[in-house]
Amino acid sequence: MKEGAQLTPAAATPRYEVFHTDCPARDMVDHVTSRWGIWVLISLRSNDLRFYELRDSIQGISEKMLAQTLRALVLDGLVWREVEPTTPPQVTYGLTEFGQDVGEPLTDLFDRITQRLPPRSPQ
């Protein structure tokens, strides 16, 4: 290397400005960490579910909120949606590879919290 030569740093891929209100990554984080988004991702972590199975697995969620949450997560590319052309249509949801990747730390967080909670008293 010649004396005084400077190394030029490799061009880094541009990062999203997550603290800007118009950042698409910020919208996705909002969807994932919304009141119901995290529960949808955790519910779908081990198997694909139909709409009503998903609704029944997340106690307290309304059909409207589930539909809105699923719509946002599908648009974000975290959840896939498959419609079987039957009467009535059967709609199944599952995690995409990206959704599994994003959901993994959420599952770890959920597991850590539930392992540290004191035992539940019998009801």
Side-chain angles (χ1 to χ4, degrees), residues 69-106:
T69 302
L70 285 167
R71 193 174 304 118
L73 295 173
V74 167
L75 287 173
D76 289 339
L78 299 168
V79 172
W80 57 260
R81 177 180 189 264
E82 181 181 321
V83 180
E84 293 179 38
T86 59
T87 305
Q90 294 180 352
V91 184
T92 306
Y93 295 90
L95 293 179
T96 63
E97 186 178 326
F98 183 32
Q100 290 171 353
D101 195 36
V102 168
E104 191 173 317
L106 298 175

Side-chain angles (χ1 to χ4, degrees), residues 33-79:
T33 61
S34 70
R35 179 172 182 190
W36 300 112
I38 192 168
W39 298 114
V40 168
L41 293 175
I42 289 172
S43 292
L44 293 172
R45 69 185 166 185
S46 52
N47 43 318
D48 306 335
L49 296 171
R50 286 207 187 119
F51 182 88
Y52 289 106
E53 293 171 325
L54 192 52
R55 186 202 61 198
D56 292 345
S57 75
I58 306 172
Q59 294 184 5
I61 192 169
S62 68
E63 288 186 23
K64 177 183 175 183
M65 285 310 304
L66 179 57
Q68 288 177 354
T69 302
L70 285 167
R71 193 174 304 118
L73 295 173
V74 167
L75 287 173
D76 289 339
L78 299 168
V79 172

Side-chain angles (χ1 to χ4, degrees), residues 100-117:
Q100 290 171 353
D101 195 36
V102 168
E104 191 173 317
L106 298 175
T107 298
D108 290 343
L109 175 65
F110 177 77
D111 290 343
R112 286 180 189 199
I113 289 170
T114 56
Q115 289 169 4
R116 295 283 183 130
L117 288 174

Side-chain angles (χ1 to χ4, degrees), residues 1-6:
M1 184 180 281
K2 292 182 2 185
E3 192 175 322
Q6 294 183 1

